[in-house]
Amino acid sequence: KRVLDMPQDFQVVVLSGRNKEVQKEIERVAKGSKKKTVILGYTEDMPKLMKTANLLLSKPGGLTTAEALACGLPMVILDPVGGQEERNADMLLENGAAIKCTELTVLQYKLGQLLDNPNHLSHMAKKAALLGHPDSTREVVDTILNDQAGPYIITSKQEKALRERVKLG
């Protein structure tokens, strides 16, 4: 609702996943908005959507963050969960690829600052692209297929020392 009430001109694409109740609530909130709003449930078109987007408002989960960076898509981080999401948020913020909004009361202000400053948004997109690895899957497969070293075999003595070091044995 806060985003749809903003004065700037933009299109909103909302993904609700498989949660039909959330999708209906979003449709109810968006009804009557002057913003062009597309509401989708589950989709496999995430890469295409991210490549056409200018900004992503999301929690910084692992896959979401990796996909966004691979597309050079800057983020507005919303309410990260402690642990991995907080670490992802820190990394994005430290590298200039995101802003963080933990209070929805300031979302319009922070988002408006970005939308009103296309140069800053472009700079964030460049930072996101520098962090992204769009060909990482190909690189991993190439490494595996072209590895000439053969299997690494450790002795039982090395295994015991390793287990003691990581407190498994």
Side-chain angles (χ1 to χ4, degrees):
K1 176 91 173 97
R2 291 175 197 268
V3 170
L4 294 175
D5 288 342
M6 293 179 65
Q8 291 86 355
D9 184 32
F10 54 86
Q11 176 180 342
V12 178
V13 178
V14 181
L15 299 159
S16 62
R18 291 190 167 99
N19 191 328
K20 295 294 182 191
E21 288 179 34
V22 168
Q23 186 170 350
K24 286 179 185 175
E25 179 64 15
I26 294 167
E27 289 168 352
R28 184 191 66 73
V29 169
K31 192 174 187 175
S33 171
K34 294 178 183 170
K35 297 271 188 278
K36 180 168 183 186
T37 306
V38 178
I39 302 164
L40 302 171
Y42 176 79
T43 181
E44 293 185 8
D45 289 331
M46 190 60 79
K48 181 180 176 183
L49 290 168
M50 284 188 173
K51 285 178 184 171
T52 58
N54 297 101
L55 187 62
L56 173 66
L57 283 71
S58 178
K59 293 166 59 85
L63 287 175
T64 300
T65 299
E67 287 177 308
L69 294 176
C71 295
L73 181 60
M75 293 177 66
V76 174
I77 299 166
L78 303 171
D79 199 24
V81 175
Q84 177 193 359
E85 288 187 9
E86 274 295 339
R87 289 188 296 279
N88 290 346
D90 290 344
M91 181 273 303
L92 292 166
L93 294 167
E94 290 165 4
N95 287 283
I99 64 167
K100 187 176 181 182
C101 186
T102 53
E103 293 292 327
L104 290 180
T105 56
V106 295
L107 177 61
Q108 283 179 311
Y109 173 77
K110 287 189 170 192
L111 184 55
Q113 291 291 306
L114 280 179
L115 296 174
D116 291 340
N117 189 343
N119 289 335
H120 184 70
L121 191 55
S122 175
H123 181 72
M124 288 174 61
K126 288 175 186 168
K127 295 288 190 169
L130 287 172
L131 294 170
H133 297 279
D135 293 324
S136 60
T137 302
R138 183 183 341 273
E139 290 172 19
V140 169
V141 170
D142 285 347
T143 299
I144 291 169
L145 292 176
N146 296 316
D147 183 9
Q148 302 296 316
Y152 180 72
I153 301 171
I154 61 172
T155 66
S156 57
K157 183 178 177 181
Q158 290 170 318
E159 179 184 358
K160 184 178 178 184
L162 179 61
R163 288 183 179 277
E164 286 176 9
R165 230 170 92 204
V166 294
K167 298 188 186 342
L168 295 176

